[in-house]
Every structure is written in C-alpha cells, then in structure tokens.
Amino acid sequence: GENVEQHPSTLSVQEGDSAVIKCTYSDSASNYFPWYKQELGKRPQLIIDIRSNVGEKKDQRIAVTLNKTAKHFSLHITETQPEDSAVYFCAARPSTGNQFYFGTGTSLTVIP
Amino acid sequence: EPEVTQTPSHQVTQMGQEVILRCVPISNHLYFYWYRQILGQKVEFLVSFYNNEISEKSEIFDDQFSVERPDGSNFTLKIRSTKLEDSAMYFCASSGQGAMPQHFGDGTRLSIL
C-alpha cells in the first residue's frame, strides 16, 4: 500500500518568514494530494490540494508543488502569521480507492 | 458552510463494552469515511462507504468494527468488545461527487478504561 513520509516533524519560524513542509509517497500511481491544517482539538481542515496532472498550485500565501518523478510534494507558506501555528498533515490518494494515506504531521509554530 | 458533525465529542467506556460513534455527513455527499488518530500519531484510514456498502477497508478494520447508514443522514461506526488500544480520536469524513476533497468532522475522542 501507499506510504507517506513527512518532514520535519516540528518547525519554528519567525513571523513573516516562509515555512516549507515536505512529503514523499511510495505509490507512483497516487493521483491526489491534499494538505490539512489541524489546530489543537479541532478537525483537520483542507487548506490546499493538488492533482497529479498539475505541478504547482497557489492560493494566496499557500502553495503546493508536486514532483511526480521524485514522488514528493511540498507545502509552502509565505509571510507566516501566528494564526498559521498548527499541525499540518499531507496525504496521498492511491489510484485504487478513495482512502487517504496521511503523513505523520508537522507541528508549525510561528513566533511573533 | 455545511459541516460534518460527530457525536459524542468524548466517549468514555469500560474495556469490553460496545460503543457506537455517530456522524452526520454533509447532506449531498455520497462517500463516507472513518479514520482514527491515536494520540501523537498519524491519521489512519479505517473504512470507506459508498452506495450503502463498504467500498474499502484497512487491515485495522477487522470483525470488531462495523459501519452502518441506518437512515438518510446518519453514518455510524460500531466497535464491539473494546480494547485499551482502541483509545483514539475517531474522525468521520465525507465527500461529494468525484470523491474529493474529503471534509472532516470534529472527531470523537474515545477513551477505553
């Protein structure tokens, strides 16, 4: 089955700096890659997603890049703000089925 | 914005007892899922449900678990003979046509004593 690795596990950045979180996946046929933000005690919320036929997608301060050859995808947050502090999970959906395989999460702290 | 709702938010149960976790997916969604997250670990897929039957399940989803859509709005996860290691946060999710993206509920924290 699909295996998703996520790095780093913790990340601290100064407010205004950029944050980058990276994930790799094992199943080359995986075709959909969402990113979720989970604040303490709350539900995972979709913040951005990308399909395998696209290399990059941007939504205001958030962008995701996908390298299918290398089987990795990254989340980029620019001009970070304290409210960006949360745990971020990447996920991959294999070609067979609709279930998501999640990474282990990155705890992002934005220091004011 | 419509949301997936889950009840209860916290369930405490004695080991060996049965629990039912409840979910109300977003009303026009077609695909329903259960995931669990053991404290400090990744979110793990349990089962997906479409067209009134299980479409996929993980190896975690053994005979101890079952799902049901008893009416047009609820989606339930039943865990029989609960074990200590069943303690986790259980998330329900749903998705519409095309199965993506998945929207998650707030979760039910299950504590087995």
Side-chain angles (χ1 to χ4, degrees):
Chain A
E2 173 66 279
N3 182 44
V4 179
E5 302 282 343
Q6 183 171 348
H7 301 280
S9 57
T10 60
L11 179 61
S12 292
V13 298
Q14 290 289 332
E15 182 177 358
D17 287 350
S18 295
V20 181
I21 303 170
K22 300 181 179 182
C23 287
T24 60
Y25 59 99
S26 60
D27 182 354
S28 57
S30 287
N31 55 21
Y32 175 72
F33 308 91
W35 284 90
Y36 286 84
K37 175 184 180 182
Q38 186 178 30
E39 297 177 38
L40 190 63
K42 296 190 176 181
R43 71 183 69 193
Q45 288 198 302
L46 179 72
I47 54 171
I48 197 167
D49 56 9
I50 192 167
R51 296 174 189 257
S52 57
N53 58 349
V54 176
E56 184 173 359
K57 183 176 178 181
K58 190 173 182 181
D59 183 3
Q60 299 183 339
R61 297 187 296 109
I62 295 172
V64 56
T65 58
L66 171 65
N67 183 326
K68 286 171 56 180
T69 304
K71 291 187 286 187
H72 69 70
F73 56 113
S74 300
L75 177 71
H76 304 254
I77 307 173
T78 58
E79 301 171 27
T80 54
Q81 301 166 2
E83 50 266 39
D84 294 330
S85 296
V87 178
Y88 291 80
F89 290 95
C90 63
R93 191 194 86 155
S95 58
T96 55
N98 293 319
Q99 71 272 32
F100 288 171
Y101 291 88
F102 282 84
T104 47
T106 296
S107 178
L108 173 65
T109 302
V110 179
I111 304 165
Chain B
E1 184 177 336
E3 292 184 337
V4 175
T5 57
Q6 290 185 243
T7 55
S9 57
H10 192 189
Q11 174 79 47
V12 181
T13 300
Q14 290 289 329
M15 186 172 60
Q17 297 296 305
E18 173 183 288
V19 295
I20 297 176
L21 310 183
R22 304 182 190 278
C23 170
V24 179
I26 294 173
S27 63
N28 61 347
H29 280 187
L30 304 173
Y31 298 83
F32 314 113
Y33 313 85
W34 283 102
Y35 291 84
R36 79 172 184 191
Q37 185 178 29
I38 295 171
L39 189 63
Q41 298 186 23
K42 68 170 72 176
V43 177
E44 300 174 289
F45 169 75
L46 294 178
V47 66
S48 62
F49 193 87
Y50 172 73
N51 201 25
N52 289 318
E53 61 182 19
I54 291 173
S55 47
E56 290 112 12
K57 60 182 181 178
S58 71
E59 56 192 30
I60 301 170
F61 193 88
D62 59 20
D63 292 343
Q64 186 192 3
F65 295 87
S66 62
V67 290
E68 193 176 35
R69 187 156 164 81
D71 52 43
S73 60
N74 290 283
F75 180 51
T76 62
L77 174 69
K78 182 187 290 186
I79 309 174
R80 290 178 284 273
S81 300
T82 49
K83 300 173 283 193
L84 294 176
E85 53 264 40
D86 294 327
S87 295
M89 181 73 87
Y90 287 80
F91 290 104
C92 174
S94 70
S95 57
Q97 196 74 31
M100 297 175 291
Q102 294 180 17
H103 298 269
F104 284 73
D106 282 332
T108 293
R109 180 163 298 285
L110 177 63
S111 300
I112 306 299
L113 304 179

